[in-house]
Amino acid sequence: MKNIALIIAVCCLVAGCATSRPIPVCQTLTASEEEQMLWRRAQEEQDAIDGSGLLYQDGEIENYLNQVAEKLQTNSISADISFQIKVIKDPKLNAFALPNGVIYIHTGILARMENEAQLAALLAHEMTHCTHRHSLKTLRNIKDRTQAKSATIRELAQLLGITGSIASINGYTRELETEADRVGLDLAVKANYDPNEVLKLFELLKLENEIEGVEEPYFLGTHPKVQQRIENVNRWLAEKNRGKIKGSKNTIKFQSRMSRLMLENARLDLRQGKFFIAQSTVKKYLSVNPDDAQAYFLLGEIFRQRGWKNDSVAAINNYEKSISLNPSFAESHKAMGLIHYKDGEKRRAKKYFESCLLLSPNTADKAYIQGYLKLCTANGEG
Amino acid sequence: MKKILTLLISLLLITSCASVAQKRSLKDLSNNDFSVEIPEGWWKPKHIDKFFITKDGHSLQYVLIQQRPIDRPYRNTKKKLNKGMLPQEAAGVIIDDLASDRRIYNFKVIENAPVVIDGREGFKLLFTFKLEKGKKGVIFKTLYYGFISGDSFFNLRYNAAMRYYFEKDIAAFEYILSSFKVVKDNAALKFARDL
């Protein structure tokens, strides 16, 4: 069924590729069938993403991201396109723009950023994909190539990939990504952001990829690779002495807006077993919010779950700090119980398990805790 | 002519019945270090090279039983199981792997509890998920039992479409689960070798 739908979609694509007149970007203007079809597919993809529990929903952060996009759009060639910025709960270093102006940024890349200037460079890059109709260009390019090769509908469907017409998610050609870098940096500078900051972000991401052995993400990814993107930015900065431009960074504002998201992304990194990245993100968070019991608990979890030599000591220190900051934070009590239980210190474990159940009688792990308590008592250490 | 036609139809029926019988057998179902009893009507799809059985087709319901080397990495998390882990910690690794899986959507854990399987301490997870993005698509429900024994992680999964099928065949899965036995204890074998 999926294949049939895809083939029908591809047929529609091919049928709609007859015009060569200039195509307006905005939906309010007259668009070609091709572009209208792209928007429809974008809308379908948007509905699917939004209905899959993938979104990180925080109105304050969304407002902030949209404000930065508006600031950038003032100088865009297509001031009337309606951009909408959304966040996806995913630790992957990714961002993509649908052709209808909806831009998705993963929590992973937002959590790594240091300031608003870096965010502006990323947003301007993605916005350029929309304003310069990179999806449409990709679609036409695929169509030309397949026509030249007399490809079958099935081959065309394969070329377009599972997302059909929305090439934006899968990445663009090296040329289009380079164009998005250059135009995006121009936009960021016109909006008074420091263009040197994006280079720092790329270098940091490159280092993280090397440390964690992470596959290169799409935003930096295949078209062109991160090193090529760094070279793009370096070239752009070298031209007309742009490297000397000193714009705003808005570091404090950015970090205070993103702090909750940072902690959430550290949880996602921990879930994937990326202990180093999770740890550095929590530490970054704590530099802005030094009295957060949840952050110390999370740091404790990182150490406990990593389980290297002396990690249990580090875990206990962080759990204790968490409890001292917020004595009613049940998760830290539970974690302390667990770590003592495993060390055979049943009396201490019992104390923490009991306080956990007292603070949170319906905790998700209640059945396990009740089991541990029974064993602690049975061992005569009650 | 009529006779030939009848003969041809009969032959066609016999061969098709034979192929259905072959398809719906439990052939090639290797047990590794465990044994289970399988209720009538369940069969192993030929193309799946695992201890994998279904009754109405694997897209509607299946039971999967695995014996996994404890140090084998997972697809979506770098965390690994280890011998010293409590069942709760092992369940945590499984949840983290599933929650990080980009091929599934709307993943939700309904229950996470300790259980005893064949006399061993383990865990039981009950969760739902979808294989398609968006509001459309079938919701699947899975019961996942797991425990660590020696160098192996054993797990028994019952997955079915949440609507109708999950309830329909849960008794069959419970029968399989209650009959499950580890027949070669890795820990005991290792001990014997050490001696």
Side-chain angles (χ1 to χ4, degrees), chain A residues 113 175 336:
Chain A
M113 288 176 182
E175 290 70 30
M336 282 291 274

Side-chain angles (χ1 to χ4, degrees), chain A residues 78-236:
Chain A
S78 302
D80 48 358
I81 195 164
S82 174
F83 283 107
Q84 200 183 350
I85 321 298
K86 297 185 176 203
V87 181
I88 290 183
K89 263 186 289 181
D90 192 323
K92 205 173 178 185
L93 311 174
N94 202 1
F96 59 90
L98 299 180
N100 61 354
V102 178
I103 296 172
Y104 290 95
I105 310 182
H106 287 205
T107 52
I109 200 156
L110 284 170
R112 304 305 193 282
M113 288 176 182
E114 297 286 340
N115 52 49
E116 197 175 294
Q118 294 177 348
L119 167 68
L122 177 138
L123 281 176
H125 174 100
E126 295 302 331
M127 289 162 81
T128 305
H129 282 315
C130 300
T131 57
H132 286 61
R133 295 148 153 163
H134 286 174
S135 289
L136 192 63
K137 284 176 184 168
T138 304
L139 177 66
R140 286 179 172 167
N141 188 26
I142 290 171
K143 188 197 140 203
D144 290 345
R145 272 159 45 203
T146 47
Q147 275 180 345
K149 284 186 198 164
S150 309
T152 63
I153 291 294
R154 193 173 183 82
E155 283 165 340
L156 184 54
Q158 280 168 353
L159 270 173
L160 287 171
I162 53 163
T163 48
S165 61
I166 304 162
S168 50
I169 295 174
N170 298 328
Y172 295 99
T173 61
R174 181 176 174 168
E175 290 70 30
L176 294 180
E177 292 291 351
T178 302
E179 181 177 50
D181 273 339
R182 298 183 65 81
V183 177
L185 283 164
D186 284 337
L187 278 181
V189 169
K190 281 179 190 162
N192 193 34
Y193 287 110
D194 187 337
N196 294 287
E197 284 302 309
V198 69
L199 200 58
K200 290 182 193 166
L201 176 68
F202 282 173
E203 295 283 5
L204 173 75
L205 299 181
K206 187 185 166 201
L207 181 71
E208 272 194 10
N209 284 348
E210 285 164 4
I211 292 169
E212 287 284 344
V214 184
E215 59 185 275
E216 276 198 357
Y218 145 66
F219 172 70
L220 299 170
T222 50
H223 308 294
K225 292 188 176 178
V226 61
Q227 187 55 42
Q228 290 163 344
R229 297 288 293 279
I230 289 171
E231 285 162 16
N232 278 349
V233 178
N234 269 327
R235 256 197 306 276
W236 184 90

Side-chain angles (χ1 to χ4, degrees), chain B residues 22 24 52 58 69 73 79 85 89 94 133 164 193:
Chain B
Q22 194 185 7
R24 300 217 156 175
F52 185 103
H58 65 277
K79 291 183 190 175
M85 269 185 170
E89 293 174 303
I94 302 304
K133 263 191 293 195
Y164 179 65
R193 274 200 298 270

Side-chain angles (χ1 to χ4, degrees), chain A residues 316 319-320 323 332-341 352:
Chain A
I316 287 173
Y319 293 141
E320 279 175 345
I323 291 171
S332 291
H333 289 262
K334 181 168 67 186
M336 282 291 274
L338 208 56
I339 215 159
H340 288 308
Y341 182 83
Y352 282 109

